[in-house]
Amino acid sequence: MDFVETFRISWLNIRSHKLRSVLTTLGVVIGVAAVITFVTLGAGLQADIVQTIAGDNADILYVSAESGSDSGLPSVSGGETVFTTHDVERIREIDGVAGVAPQGGIVSSSVTHENSSVSRQWVSVTTPNYFAMKGFRFIEGRPYRTGQEEVVLNERAAQMFQENVSVGDRITFVRAVNNEPLNATVVGIVREQSNEGGATESFIGREPQPAIYAPPDPYYANTRVSPTQDIRQRVYNQIVVEAESPGQVEAVQGRIHQYLGEQSDASILKPADAQFGVTTYDQLVNQIQDISSTFTAYITGIAVISLVVGAIGIANIMLVSVTERTREIGIMKALGAQKRDILQLFLLEAVLLGLIGAVTGAIAGALGGYVGTRLINLPLAFRPEWFVLSIVVGIVVGILAGLYPAWSAASTDPIDALRYE
């Protein structure tokens, strides 16, 4: 029996039991669709991370001190508050450093603009050069000036009140620790070009979060005594460092590590279990991508269980088919069909069921991935190799599920088969 005739008979048998065939392939469809959907969402998340974080920040480093209770993920927005003004100035003097911007924060219980108030806002404290270092674009106004009661808002923060905030408007934020009201004039509105690690934009989705920026003087009151200078200074939880060029990032990273370990105030002020981190954007992207890949693989592994269920369903229905077609097998053998012809016939039918399920699942998974990325505002990033792999999986599932039923059919005694009622 040639392959074309085998294919025709197998296809006719599948079509003659449409409902049973659909239900049989459903497990494979669900399994492949789930895998494609989750892989597409994972690829979209990774693409979002690269677009959001990497940007034009190849020459940026983040200096922080992370305690043992932290997640282990490089910090780009927090850590122990141990870096004094002295540390900031010493890092600024390191060879290869083009700019330094310390970062701290103020927890405000409320922010008020005219008669509209918003509760619980984080006010990022940093120096005016921070905006240029991070590549933020001023769509209105200018950076604030140190020593002046001025603030800068991002677009989302400017729109969070009943009436949009414009340059020149006054806002009041209340320091949560002592309910002290702090007045400020809005002098600029910025559009962030990159992510601050949670303060402005979420990795999952491109919608920015409200962000208010203020200068250390006159607003930032977090101080400690500098162990090396024996005077009270402002202390920060992070220092953003810009290298003179991307090629010098690694050398600057090593020099900062050396300073922190040997001469810094932070080495004395930090908790015993805290470790210094000097994180580049490449390292941050790589580690977050690793976490994303691990999460995607875990979810995909759960979805693969559906494929196992689908394979069991195909095997079960093929055994039923062998039983139903016992007399047909006997007639075929009586007419000269060889054992390999029967084996090929039932094995091909199982492969077709698996292949139909895989192709249908791949299409459904692509649609699911598209809808999912649109719903959570991720870039669409299909991985073509997974579509090819889904076809291979369908064939393999069909072979594994149909091998025993096909062998059972091929081994049927023709005399017993002809007697079967």
Side-chain angles (χ1 to χ4, degrees):
M1 188 185 302
D2 60 23
F3 178 79
V4 174
E5 181 65 17
T6 302
F7 180 87
R8 187 185 68 82
I9 296 174
S10 298
W11 181 246
L12 284 174
N13 189 61
I14 291 173
R15 289 189 61 187
S16 64
H17 301 87
K18 291 185 179 66
L19 181 59
R20 187 169 73 180
S21 298
V22 169
L23 295 176
T24 300
T25 59
L26 198 57
V28 179
V29 171
I30 293 173
V32 171
V35 170
I36 295 293
T37 298
F38 286 125
V39 168
T40 301
L41 290 174
L45 177 60
Q46 290 194 9
D48 186 61
I49 291 170
V50 173
Q51 293 172 9
T52 302
I53 296 182
D56 297 323
N57 291 282
D59 55 355
I60 296 293
L61 303 94
Y62 290 91
V63 182
S64 60
E66 302 294 331
S67 67
S69 61
D70 291 324
S71 65
L73 188 67
S75 174
V76 293
S77 63
E80 301 292 339
T81 306
V82 294
F83 299 101
T84 63
T85 303
H86 172 71
D87 286 335
V88 174
E89 294 305 320
R90 289 297 304 274
I91 290 175
R92 193 190 309 274
E93 296 168 359
I94 290 176
D95 186 33
V97 172
V100 173
Q103 280 193 295
I106 301 170
V107 178
S108 65
S109 57
S110 66
V111 181
T112 303
H113 170 245
E114 296 183 350
N115 296 321
S116 175
S117 293
V118 177
S119 61
R120 301 296 295 180
Q121 287 294 314
W122 174 261
V123 179
S124 296
V125 174
T126 188
T127 49
N129 63 322
Y130 173 81
F131 304 106
M133 289 172 57
K134 291 297 298 291
F136 289 1
R137 182 168 66 88
F138 277 83
I139 60 175
E140 188 179 349
R142 57 169 174 80
Y144 44 64
R145 295 167 296 184
T146 299
Q148 301 297 312
E149 292 184 345
E150 300 174 343
V151 294
V152 168
L153 278 60
N154 73 346
E155 290 180 286
R156 182 67 184 86
Q159 299 166 0
M160 67 182 177
F161 302 97
Q162 291 180 1
E163 294 186 11
N164 290 349
V165 177
S166 300
V167 168
D169 288 356
R170 297 280 289 178
I171 66 170
T172 300
F173 53 96
V174 178
R175 198 191 303 271
V177 67
N178 58 6
N179 291 323
E180 176 189 2
L182 302 170
N183 298 312
T185 300
V186 177
V187 296
I189 297 175
V190 295
R191 176 174 296 157
E192 297 97 337
Q193 302 298 316
S194 60
N195 186 280
E196 287 191 329
T200 59
E201 284 185 290
S202 167
F203 287 136
I204 302 179
R206 306 290 296 179
E207 181 68 25
Q209 300 302 309
I212 301 173
Y213 302 93
D217 182 17
Y219 296 113
Y220 194 52
N222 197 343
T223 63
R224 295 177 72 172
V225 174
S226 165
T228 60
Q229 304 301 301
D230 198 28
I231 56 174
R232 185 165 287 276
Q233 297 182 339
R234 289 188 175 94
V235 284
Y236 304 90
N237 63 329
Q238 180 175 265
I239 304 174
V240 182
V241 179
E242 181 182 15
E244 291 179 352
S245 68
Q248 297 193 51
V249 166
E250 188 173 345
V252 169
Q253 186 180 34
R255 293 173 191 139
I256 294 174
H257 267 299
Q258 183 178 0
Y259 165 73
L260 292 174
E262 296 177 359
Q263 311 164 40
S264 67
D265 287 342
S267 63
I268 301 172
L269 296 175
K270 73 178 181 67
D273 64 341
Q275 300 293 323
F276 288 122
V278 183
T279 307
T280 67
Y281 260 96
D282 285 343
Q283 291 172 331
L284 179 64
V285 169
N286 290 338
Q287 292 205 28
I288 294 179
Q289 284 183 327
D290 287 343
I291 292 173
S292 173
S293 297
T294 301
F295 177 74
T296 302
Y298 175 75
I299 297 299
T300 301
I302 296 175
V304 167
I305 295 174
S306 295
L307 288 175
V308 176
V309 174
I312 294 172
I314 292 175
N316 179 64
I317 210 65
M318 290 307 300
L319 286 171
V320 172
S321 181
V322 169
T323 303
E324 290 178 344
R325 298 164 65 186
T326 300
R327 281 184 62 83
E328 179 185 334
I329 294 169
I331 293 171
M332 291 174 64
K333 284 195 170 186
L335 294 174
Q338 302 296 312
K339 186 174 183 178
R340 70 173 181 275
D341 296 326
I342 307 299
L343 183 68
Q344 179 179 275
L345 178 65
F346 284 89
L347 193 58
L348 182 58
E349 187 174 327
V351 169
L352 285 174
L353 288 171
L355 190 59
I356 291 169
V359 172
T360 306
I363 296 171
L367 292 174
Y370 174 80
V371 172
T373 53
R374 295 286 76 81
L375 286 176
I376 59 177
N377 204 20
L378 287 176
L380 184 62
F382 284 124
R383 290 183 173 175
E385 64 271 19
W386 280 91
F387 292 90
V388 176
L389 184 61
S390 69
I391 304 301
V392 174
V393 166
I395 295 173
V396 171
V397 166
I399 291 174
L400 294 178
L403 198 57
Y404 174 73
W407 175 83
S408 177
S411 302
T412 301
D413 184 87
I415 297 175
D416 292 337
L418 289 171
R419 291 174 179 171
Y420 184 81
E421 296 294 337

